[in-house]
Amino acid sequence: MLGHVAGAPVVLAPSWLLAAVVLTLVFTPSVRTWTGAGGGVLPYVVALVFVVLLFASVLVHELAHGLVAKARGQQPREFVLTLWGGHTTFGGAAPSPGTSALVAVVGPVANLLLAGGFLLLADHVAPDGSVLQAMTWAGAVANGFVGLFNLVPGLPLDGGRILEAAVWAATGDRHRGSVVAGWTGRVVAVGVVLLVLVRPYVTGGTPDLGTVAWAALIGAFLWSGASGAVRAGRTGRVVDAMTIGTVGRPAVVVGVRSSLAQARTTAAAAHAAEVVVIAPDGRPAAYVDADAAARVPAELAGSTDVLAVATPLPAGTVVDGTLTGDALLEALSRASANGPVMAAVVDGRVVALVRTADVVAALRH
């Protein structure tokens, strides 16, 4: 960890070290070309310094996101530098399309400002033909590319966040924005690979294998992020519409001294799929296992205690049946840590059983 900014840790992921080594080796031949340096350690040192400056620019990009988000009431949780550059995580979603767009755009703007600063240094401060001039020119080009590329309107790029916010503002549906920007991101991912493959043939050349490999990696990264955004947008719609009625199974209650026959009669009368056994203190104590109950012949149901075919409900597996959306999903997530089946209660009365498998199926629908 490098420290804290805006109340959030700045983390250097182990994969960054791999990226630093690989990029240093990749840039060293270019450094020799720029500077005219031959062998020795100097080209490697210059290349490493450039890589460090490049990741410092990425950090400025991420810090810009976090600082503006915090100013707009959205708390950053973590700034991370990784193999692929960096990312910023937040404690919650942006409260409005305007905040989302503003937080997204400041990252690329920060890079473009850095590009301008490096360009001024290269033109007016660094001696002509010097190593310093070569590095500042490279810094200008790198930051300009990062800034402009991130403005391409497709998730997971910042431009995709801007597009997502625009669709959200126009339709009032955040999740539609995610789906639209995610599909656009998929187009961008394919476009990056096609550009590298097709452009050389148009200019009379052939694709460079190394460039194609890098493009494939970047395209795969973009496709993965875009696809995740599409899934998140669709899942978000499901979560917003989630109620106990959409994920639960209607239930009736019987006492601990009831027979299986009584439980069957009560469920049939209410057209309920589930039976919950209530303890003497009124707490949901167990639920009837449908498979176990089905194995009991009808002629023996009257003499079979309902608890003989019931599965206990552990403490902590009761949820508020009036909750909806994110609040309901969060409550179910907490309760499912205690057991895979939960009782939903409204005004002290059990109204449904919720199974973790049913919630997962609803989210994947």
Side-chain angles (χ1 to χ4, degrees):
M1 187 171 68
L2 301 179
H4 287 76
V5 176
V10 180
V11 178
L12 194 64
S15 62
W16 178 87
L17 297 175
L18 174 61
V21 171
V22 171
L23 290 175
T24 298
L25 294 176
V26 168
F27 288 141
T28 296
S30 298
V31 170
R32 290 197 181 102
T33 301
W34 296 337
T35 63
V41 177
L42 180 60
Y44 291 96
V45 173
V46 173
L48 178 60
V49 171
F50 173 69
V51 169
V52 171
L53 287 175
L54 180 61
F55 274 93
S57 299
V58 172
L59 179 58
V60 169
H61 177 112
E62 298 303 330
L63 293 180
H65 286 317
L67 291 170
V68 171
K70 187 173 179 65
R72 300 279 294 189
Q74 187 182 8
Q75 176 60 44
R77 179 178 293 169
E78 190 177 52
F79 303 99
V80 185
L81 293 179
T82 69
L83 174 67
W84 292 105
H87 64 265
T88 303
T89 57
F90 299 96
S96 68
T99 294
S100 182
L102 185 59
V103 170
V105 77
V106 292
V109 167
N111 285 120
L112 294 176
L113 291 175
L114 283 174
F118 277 120
L119 190 59
L120 288 175
L121 288 174
D123 284 344
H124 301 291
V125 177
D128 289 343
S130 66
V131 172
L132 179 60
Q133 186 180 53
M135 291 181 62
T136 50
W137 267 107
V141 171
N143 275 280
F145 173 77
V146 170
L148 293 175
F149 184 67
N150 267 282
L151 287 174
V152 173
L155 287 172
L157 300 173
D158 293 321
R161 291 293 173 200
I162 298 169
L163 174 60
E164 176 188 56
V167 175
W168 178 10
T171 65
D173 186 345
R174 177 201 297 267
H175 307 304
R176 179 177 296 180
S178 298
V179 172
V180 170
W183 273 105
T184 306
R186 284 174 166 175
V187 173
V188 171
V190 173
V192 167
V193 178
L194 289 179
L195 178 64
V196 171
L197 288 174
V198 174
R199 187 172 180 273
Y201 291 113
V202 174
T203 58
T206 57
D208 176 73
L209 183 59
T211 304
V212 171
W214 274 107
L217 286 173
I218 293 171
F221 169 74
L222 294 175
W223 181 274
S224 176
S227 298
V230 172
R231 288 192 299 271
R234 291 170 176 168
T235 299
R237 288 177 174 173
V238 174
V239 172
D240 282 352
M242 184 177 290
T243 66
I244 287 298
T246 61
V247 295
R249 303 178 185 184
V252 294
V253 299
V254 296
V256 293
R257 298 185 180 279
S258 299
S259 67
L260 176 57
Q262 290 172 320
R264 286 174 173 172
T265 300
T266 303
H271 303 288
E274 304 284 357
V275 177
V276 175
V277 182
I278 298 297
D281 61 2
R283 174 181 57 83
Y287 65 94
V288 172
D289 183 320
D291 290 337
R295 290 193 291 269
V296 178
E299 60 271 19
L300 298 179
S303 59
T304 301
D305 289 338
V306 70
L307 287 177
V309 292
T311 300
L313 281 168
T317 54
V318 175
V319 297
D320 182 353
T322 64
L323 296 175
T324 61
D326 284 322
L328 174 58
L329 183 61
E330 183 177 348
L332 290 171
S333 178
R334 289 196 302 268
S336 66
N338 301 308
V341 179
M342 297 148 281
V345 176
V346 176
D347 295 330
R349 180 174 59 88
V350 175
V351 296
L353 278 184
V354 183
R355 300 173 187 272
T356 300
D358 291 341
V359 177
V360 172
L363 293 175
R364 290 177 175 173
H365 187 269

